[in-house]
Amino acid sequence: MKLPGKTVERLSKYRRTLLECLNEKRNFIYSHDLAARIHITAVQVRRDLMLIGYSSVLRKGYDVRELIDTISKIIDSEESIHVAVIGIGNLGRAVAGYFKGKRSKLNLVASFDNDPQKINKVISGVKCYPYNDIERMIKELDIRIAILTVPLDSAKEITEEMVRYGIKGILNFTTIPLNVPSGVYLEEYDMITSIEKVAYFVKENKI
Amino acid sequence: MKLPGKTVERLSKYRRTLLECLNEKRNFIYSHDLAARIHITAVQVRRDLMLIGYSSVLRKGYDVRELIDTISKIIDSEESIHVAVIGIGNLGRAVAGYFKGKRSKLNLVASFDNDPQKINKVISGVKCYPYNDIERMIKELDIRIAILTVPLDSAKEITEEMVRYGIKGILNFTTIPLNVPSGVYLEEYDMITSIEKVAYFVKENKI
DNA sequence: GTAACAATGTTAATAAAATAACAATAATCA
DNA sequence: TGATTATTGTTATTTTATTAACATTGTTAC
Ligand SMILES: NC(=O)c1ccc[n+]([C@@H]2O[C@H](COP(=O)([O-])OP(=O)(O)OC[C@H]3O[C@@H](n4cnc5c(N)ncnc54)[C@H](O)[C@@H]3O)[C@@H](O)[C@H]2O)c1
Ligand SMILES: NC(=O)c1ccc[n+]([C@@H]2O[C@H](COP(=O)([O-])OP(=O)(O)OC[C@H]3O[C@@H](n4cnc5c(N)ncnc54)[C@H](O)[C@@H]3O)[C@@H](O)[C@H]2O)c1
């Protein structure tokens, strides 16, 4: 099954919302209710669920637990997938600290840095390894995904190396566009572009 | 002129790339060259530039300086626009520190928090004010844009207040979907969704 | 000077995403 | 029970975004 990226994004949001429902002891939720919580339309929800082949049968809304399970089967791996933060600076630490708080199939197992002050210490809940050991550690810890928070000038080279050593997914926080071969999935996370977009639309509204 | 959001995003990236060109003492750049640097197509570049009404006349590529100016005229405001970070925790500090390093039309002028340890101190290069003063300070400092990095449970209430006090744009780092009235621009920045998307496509590739 | 080329701007076509329309059916209630 | 309502799943339509096609026009080489 090949889902559109946009649908995958929404599935992630659906699941998060559904987990909140469980907390509130709600066991059923209507499509329009789920939609309202994330500010989209009910049709969009139903269409996405159609794409993943989920169907509720009852007309009393979706079974929250069941839908969580269905979505998890789609977007999660069987086994937990190992993640590392590359460059445990200001942003890297924030992200690492945040991740360690969650339990999920995504398991933050290491960080890497080249600052002697940092290596071989536990920072934001995760052990920092010397970047020079990354080839070995990717294999040893079976790391699949890298969260890239190194300075701009080293981002390109580090990416090439990581890909060579077997990394399959990269979440890029630097503002450098990266080149990855097919078979490696890259998601760009461009804060500057986001804020400039906000600024543009704020300006346009004002005028 | 009403530009598509996607085009605005790319304009921000074009400008950043063009500024790099200046550093490299390149004064002209072809559409296909600019495109290659951010991994899109030359047609996309030309189409975006058509939308903003820029035209090069020469066939020796775009004049880098001229294009930077043109884009800046479109996406920047005349005067600098004031930004604040709300919740100067781990993520807020990283973002603030990063912003203070740049000079641009976007000017980070304050942060707000309710932690007595933090208020009235300079953190990551920016003064932290008590959140209780936010109404007054938004007016006093003419703050237009808020970068929201508070804990989940306070995000909704804080957003409503800020909007009431005149904030016009919000970059939301929390994973709570926010409600804003029309006239206020909201950009969601959902890290968890991004990483789950990476995980999904990594998994799919593997299978 | 002019033919060949290279790069642009624009229109046309395609693809992707969102929205609308609607038929089907369980639940509700007179 | 049977009509009514509410909600779903799916197909059709519209909108938006991307890609392709192509005519235009400086530039270059001869
Ligand atoms: N902080 C933000 O909010 C923010 C926002 C947008 C983009 N970014 C980008 O994210 C990246 C990190 O930002 P930051 O604020 O955390 O910077 P930072 O300087 O605090 O952190 C960078 C870390 O990378 C490490 N490092 C440097 N070279 C390395 C190498 N070759 N191998 C391994 N580790 C190395 C450094 O020791 C440091 O710990 C930068 O590229 C920045 O442009 C940050
Ligand atoms: N750290 C990350 O990488 C990350 C990733 C994704 C999402 N987020 C989201 O970003 C937000 C912040 O994350 P964090 O890791 O920086 O958390 P944090 O706890 O380090 O920071 C939160 C800050 O907000 C302040 N605060 C709390 N209540 C407040 C209030 N009512 N008014 C003003 N300030 C208040 C706290 O004093 C603290 O300084 C959270 O909502 C989190 O879910 C963070």
Side-chain angles (χ1 to χ4, degrees), chain A residues 87-92 112-115 118 131 149-152 154 158 173-174 191, chain B residues 94-95 98:
Chain A
I88 191 90
N90 293 310
L91 185 56
F112 294 90
D113 209 294
N114 66 355
D115 179 347
K118 291 173 180 162
Y131 178 75
T149 52
V150 294
L152 290 187
S154 41
I158 286 180
F173 278 93
T174 77
M191 225 174 269
Chain B
V95 174
Y98 183 70

Side-chain angles (χ1 to χ4, degrees), chain B:
Chain B
M1 180 170 33
K2 187 86 172 295
L3 295 175
K6 293 290 176 96
T7 295
V8 175
E9 285 177 25
R10 283 189 297 261
L11 288 176
S12 162
K13 289 179 208 282
Y14 296 155
R15 180 169 62 173
R16 194 160 59 213
T17 308
L18 292 165
L19 287 165
E20 282 165 25
C21 290
L22 274 196
N23 274 346
E24 302 162 13
K25 309 265 185 272
R26 288 195 63 164
N27 293 313
F28 289 89
I29 188 169
Y30 296 126
S31 59
H32 62 257
D33 204 350
L34 180 51
R37 288 190 183 221
I38 55 179
H39 305 126
I40 62 172
T41 66
V43 179
Q44 185 92 79
V45 170
R46 298 207 298 271
R47 229 184 167 293
D48 285 333
L49 297 191
M50 191 191 85
L51 288 179
I52 65 172
Y54 178 79
S55 142
S56 78
V57 187
L58 321 164
R59 314 278 126 164
K60 300 201 82 172
Y62 302 107
D63 182 310
V64 174
R65 270 168 224 278
E66 201 176 86
L67 187 46
I68 289 172
D69 286 350
T70 306
I71 293 176
S72 297
K73 280 210 189 72
I74 308 259
I75 66 178
D76 286 344
S77 302
E78 286 283 318
E79 349 74 60
S80 92
I81 183 162
H82 292 183
V83 180
V85 168
I86 321 298
I88 191 90
N90 294 310
L91 185 56
R93 282 197 302 274
V95 174
Y98 183 70
F99 254 75
K100 287 311 276 185
K102 314 272 164 219
R103 57 169 194 76
S104 87
K105 287 286 177 181
L106 294 169
N107 198 358
L108 183 60
V109 297
S111 71
F112 294 91
D113 208 293
N114 67 356
D115 180 347
Q117 300 277 298
K118 290 173 181 164
I119 64 182
N120 295 319
K121 297 198 176 118
V122 173
I123 300 173
S124 297
V126 61
K127 172 105 182 270
C128 177
Y129 295 93
Y131 178 75
N132 288 333
D133 290 352
I134 199 167
E135 178 171 14
R136 185 166 59 81
M137 294 313 294
I138 284 177
K139 265 135 211 164
E140 214 162 278
L141 299 176
D142 188 27
I143 298 167
R144 293 278 169 75
I145 294 178
I147 297 175
L148 191 64
T149 52
V150 295
L152 290 187
D153 43 355
S154 41
K156 269 211 169 88
E157 195 189 335
I158 286 180
T159 299
E160 281 164 25
E161 287 172 4
M162 290 193 306
V163 167
R164 208 154 52 236
Y165 303 151
I167 282 291
K168 293 297 176 207
I170 298 173
L171 183 55
N172 177 29
F173 279 93
T174 77
T175 49
I176 291 279
L178 298 177
N179 248 325
V180 295
S182 79
V184 176
Y185 185 82
L186 173 66
E187 177 85 5
E188 306 276 353
Y189 205 74
D190 191 331
M191 224 175 269
I192 297 304
T193 289
S194 294
I195 189 90
E196 289 191 338
K197 194 173 158 196
V198 173
Y200 170 79
F201 285 109
V202 165
K203 182 187 72 147
E204 288 306 296
N205 256 339
K206 203 189 54 175
I207 290 169

Side-chain angles (χ1 to χ4, degrees), chain A residues 9-206:
Chain A
E9 285 178 23
R10 282 189 298 263
L11 289 175
S12 161
K13 289 179 208 282
Y14 297 155
R15 180 168 64 173
R16 194 159 59 213
T17 308
L18 293 165
L19 287 166
E20 282 165 23
C21 290
L22 274 195
N23 274 345
E24 301 163 13
K25 308 267 186 269
R26 289 196 62 165
N27 293 314
F28 289 89
I29 189 168
Y30 295 126
S31 58
H32 62 256
D33 204 350
L34 180 51
R37 288 189 183 224
I38 55 179
H39 306 126
I40 60 172
T41 67
V43 180
Q44 184 91 79
V45 170
R46 298 207 297 273
R47 231 183 166 294
D48 286 333
L49 297 190
M50 190 191 85
L51 288 179
I52 65 171
Y54 178 79
S55 142
S56 78
V57 186
L58 319 166
R59 313 279 126 164
K60 301 201 82 172
Y62 302 107
D63 182 311
V64 174
R65 269 169 224 280
E66 201 176 86
L67 186 47
I68 289 172
D69 286 350
T70 306
I71 292 176
S72 296
K73 280 210 189 72
I74 308 258
I75 66 177
D76 285 346
S77 301
E78 286 284 317
E79 349 75 60
S80 92
I81 182 162
H82 292 183
V83 180
V85 168
I86 321 298
I88 191 90
N90 293 310
L91 185 56
R93 282 195 303 273
V95 174
Y98 183 71
F99 253 75
K100 286 312 275 185
K102 313 273 165 218
R103 57 168 194 77
S104 87
K105 288 285 176 182
L106 294 170
N107 198 357
L108 183 60
V109 296
S111 70
F112 294 90
D113 209 294
N114 66 355
D115 179 347
Q117 299 276 298
K118 291 173 180 162
I119 64 182
N120 294 320
K121 298 196 176 120
V122 172
I123 300 174
S124 298
V126 62
K127 172 106 182 267
C128 177
Y129 295 92
Y131 178 75
N132 288 335
D133 290 352
I134 198 166
E135 177 171 14
R136 185 165 60 82
M137 295 313 295
I138 284 177
K139 266 135 209 165
E140 215 162 277
L141 299 176
D142 188 27
I143 298 167
R144 293 278 170 75
I145 294 178
I147 298 175
L148 191 64
T149 52
V150 294
L152 290 187
D153 42 355
S154 41
K156 269 212 168 92
E157 194 189 336
I158 286 180
T159 299
E160 281 164 24
E161 287 173 4
M162 290 193 306
V163 166
R164 207 155 52 233
Y165 303 153
I167 283 291
K168 293 298 176 205
I170 297 172
L171 182 55
N172 177 28
F173 278 93
T174 77
T175 49
I176 291 279
L178 298 176
N179 249 325
V180 296
S182 79
V184 175
Y185 185 81
L186 172 67
E187 176 84 5
E188 305 276 352
Y189 206 72
D190 191 330
M191 225 174 269
I192 297 305
T193 288
S194 295
I195 189 90
E196 290 191 337
K197 194 175 158 193
V198 173
Y200 170 79
F201 284 110
V202 164
K203 183 187 73 148
E204 287 305 295
N205 256 339
K206 203 190 54 178

